[in-house]
Every structure is written in structure tokens, then in C-alpha cells.
Amino acid sequence: MVVGLGFVPAANGEIALLDAAAGTLTLAPDRATRARFDVRREAGAVAAARAGARVHEPAVTASGERVAVHINIGGPADLASLDSTMCDGIGLVRTEFLFDGRTADRLPGEDEQAEAYRKILAWAAGRPVTIRTVDAGGDKPVPGYTIEGELNPFLGLRGVRLSLTRPEIFRVQLRALLRAATAGPLQIMVPMVSVPREMTAVRSLLMEEAAALDAVGIARGAIGPGGVMLGMMVEVPAAALTLDRFDTDFVSIGSNDLTQYTMAAGRDAPSVAELADAADPAVIRLVSEVVAVAKSRGIPVSLCGDAGGDPRVIPHLLGAGLRSVSVAPAVVAAAKEAIRAWPSEHRGD
Ligand code: PEP
Ligand code: MG
């Protein structure tokens, strides 16, 4: 990926070489640079074809360890051209698609939400599906729902913080998720958790809505092992450092936000893009801590930020003990290849 280019002083008609893998843009390259670029491009195309041919095979490290590779989606539409055999399940459904473009008086109803979740479960054909409760705010404003005019919305009322202040909206989503869970293995994941009381509050709301559905005889998925599990994202350093204190059935590390909050470098700020590096030792140390604590508690742990699909960062994540990732569908093949190449003797990972 190339970010933070700012103004590019290219002349009209001038040749420019964009190398997304290396993160470089070369203007007016000389003949030797162009030749080297062509060799790299050719090798990249061969590697991509080889990875693509193996996308339906499981990811197993060079030392024989199986690593689960799930996909991240932004709604059922993303699945139209995908085959579920490419992945071990869906590790992140961003449900903001249901709220986008809606006004406060037309937020998505329970039936509409349940239908969307069922479609996703049907596609997954029995593979686990982790659906995240709405993560509005910060980089994902929803007009009429998120707070307007916050000075720093990334540190404001977003994710679970907002959901808990609007329980009448949150309860609708929890009911829809419980109803959809009759259609397949569904996990509910809570975004932007910072302190244990947030998870406690979500679990009480979930139990209350389950009881309310039972009271009127509406079918729902069972809650607990073998049924609906309630887990949290670890995106805030406070949660990463105190995971032992949380009531959670599973954990997924949101490395996009965890990186920006650890490095104090905005995920969408080109001027500090170099600092916002998920491979920085500070971030990797937090990942190791989370993996170790989750494993010691017997809680499944995965990672669903972009770092999980980045061949440069994958060796660090595997080195930190992670054995499950969830990545954008477009990078599943490359991520599996990077996992297969680990550990590499040359890099000493
Ligand atoms: C993350 O923060 O890493 C994440 C997966 O969530 P999002 O990118 O939707 O904030
Ligand atoms: Mg996030």
C-alpha cells in the first residue's frame, strides 16, 4: 500500500512507477530502474498466480502448524463473488452497512437486520461467523446517531460506548442477532471495549433480550458453548493490558485501532503513516500479551485488523503466538502464502 504521498510533482506524460508492495512511487525512472521494476512486477504476478491457485487450501506453517484464515466483510453484498471454501469462516462482519445513509428516524429494524445476518450465515455454510455490533463513530460516523461536533471523535463516544448510551437501538441489534443465530454458528463481537463494565453491561442486555424473545415465543439461538458466544475486540491499549479482567468468550485484536491508539498516530493521517505501523515492537508486545492471556484462560484469540493480511507483519504476529487471523477477501491468498513461508530461516522469524 502507498499512503501519505501528498503533492506529487510529476510532469505531464512523465513515466511513474508505483510499487504498492514496497510502498514507493518513482518518478521519471532511468532505464535500469525500469528494468528492475519490470523484473519485480513479473515475479509478483507469478507469485500472485501461485498463491491464487492455492487459495482454497488451508494455511499451514512451514513447521506444520495450522493457522485459521477468516475473512472480513462489510455486508452480504461483499460475498456475491466469493466462494466460502476460500476461508475458515467470517471473522468480522462490519454492521455499519445497515446504518449508512439512514436518518435517525429510519434506523434498521429487527427484521431487516436479522434477514441480512441470515444471508451471511447461509453463505458461510456452517463455518463460524463473527458479527460485530455497530461500530459507529470515529472513522465511521452515522448522521443522526453519532454525536456531531465532537472535538476528537476517535477518542469520543464511539463503538460500544455509543451503543450503551442508546440501549433502545442496541437492543434491536442484539435481538436480531439472537434470532439470526438459529441459521448457523454466530458469534457476537463488541467493538471499542476499554473497561470490563462495558462487557458486563452488554452481556446483561443480551440476556435480557434473550428472555424477552423467549417470553413471546420467538425462536433464537442458544447462548453459551456450542451456541452464541459473546466476545470483545481488543483495540484499546487499556483492554490489551488488562484482558484478564474481562468477561469475554473470545477475543479478536483490532490491529487498525490498536495501532493508532498505541502509537498515537491516526489510521487515516498520511503525515504520520510511518508511525502507524502494526509491526512496531510496542504493538507486537501488546499482541503477545493478549495472545498469552487469552491462551492461559482458554479463550479463542484471533486478529481482524489489516495487519493480519500483510505479509510484512504476519511473521511478527505468528511469532507473537497468534494462530488465527481474519483478513480482507482480496488478500486471503497472499496471507496464506506468507503463513506457509513461516518460520523463515533467512529472516530468523
Ligand atoms: C480494527 O480496528 O482493526 C478493526 C478491524 O476494526 P475497524 O477497522 O472496522 O475499525
Ligand atoms: Mg476498529
Side-chain angles (χ1 to χ4, degrees):
M1 194 167 32
V2 183
V3 292
L5 281 176
F7 174 70
V8 177
N12 236 354
E14 189 172 86
I15 288 181
L17 304 177
L18 178 66
D19 186 335
T24 58
L25 178 73
T26 311
L27 300 176
D30 59 25
R31 192 187 290 265
T33 306
R34 279 171 66 176
R36 279 197 303 276
F37 181 84
D38 285 342
V39 170
R40 259 179 73 74
R41 184 167 55 182
E42 187 58 31
V46 170
R50 194 178 50 226
R54 299 188 66 194
V55 72
H56 300 286
E57 294 175 25
V60 179
T61 66
S63 50
E65 281 188 84
R66 177 83 161 79
V67 177
V69 179
H70 304 86
I71 58 169
N72 298 343
I73 60 163
D78 289 0
L79 299 170
S81 59
L82 300 176
D83 176 349
S84 57
T85 61
M86 73 188 288
C87 64
D88 294 294
I90 302 181
L92 168 62
V93 179
R94 292 182 166 100
T95 56
E96 295 75 55
F97 74 94
L98 287 161
F99 291 73
D100 278 347
R102 310 292 283 255
T103 51
D105 56 336
R106 287 203 58 253
L107 291 178
E110 194 177 310
D111 289 348
E112 178 187 346
Q113 291 195 41
E115 186 50 32
Y117 305 147
R118 280 195 202 101
K119 271 191 197 144
I120 296 168
L121 286 159
W123 178 90
R127 293 171 184 78
V129 174
T130 301
I131 301 184
R132 182 174 72 184
T133 60
V134 66
D135 185 25
D139 56 315
K140 312 174 195 80
V142 176
Y145 178 46
T146 45
I147 310 295
E148 270 171 49
E150 274 189 307
L151 261 188
N152 189 345
F154 284 90
L155 299 181
L157 199 59
R158 57 168 300 199
V160 69
R161 303 168 184 184
L162 181 58
S163 293
L164 289 173
T165 62
R166 300 294 302 273
E168 74 288 3
I169 294 171
F170 194 33
R171 283 177 188 275
V172 173
Q173 183 165 38
L174 294 175
R175 284 167 69 95
L177 287 163
L178 284 170
R179 284 173 53 191
T182 56
L186 184 155
Q187 309 202 113
I188 300 175
M189 182 159 77
V190 185
M192 281 302 295
V193 176
S194 310
V195 289
R197 64 178 175 276
E198 291 164 335
M199 284 305 288
T200 311
V202 174
R203 195 177 289 280
S204 330
L205 288 176
L206 185 68
M207 299 314 285
E208 280 174 28
E209 288 314 313
L213 288 171
D214 294 346
V216 290
I218 296 178
R220 65 165 173 96
I223 299 172
V228 177
M229 302 296 266
L230 178 68
M232 62 186 268
M233 290 190 74
V234 172
E235 304 177 277
V236 178
L241 291 165
T242 57
L243 186 62
D244 55 301
R245 301 179 60 230
F246 286 81
D247 169 15
T248 185
D249 299 331
F250 67 91
V251 169
S252 186
I253 300 168
S255 55
N256 303 337
D257 278 312
L258 184 62
T259 302
Q260 81 162 342
Y261 294 131
T262 303
M263 303 306 296
R267 57 192 280 176
D268 300 323
S271 51
V272 289
E274 241 178 271
L275 262 183
D277 179 7
D280 187 279
V283 181
I284 296 301
R285 205 174 285 183
L286 286 178
V287 172
S288 303
E289 164 82 12
V290 170
V291 171
V293 172
K295 285 187 177 172
S296 74
R297 292 181 60 187
I299 297 172
V301 55
S302 189
L303 179 144
C304 61
D306 294 339
D310 183 340
R312 184 182 63 86
V313 188
I314 285 171
H316 298 281
L317 300 177
L318 295 172
L322 204 66
R323 293 294 179 269
S324 174
V325 291
S326 189
V327 307
V331 300
V332 167
K336 286 185 171 181
E337 283 299 284
I339 291 166
R340 291 178 186 126
W342 184 88
S344 148
E345 282 167 24
H346 311 295
R347 299 170 53 152
D349 297 321

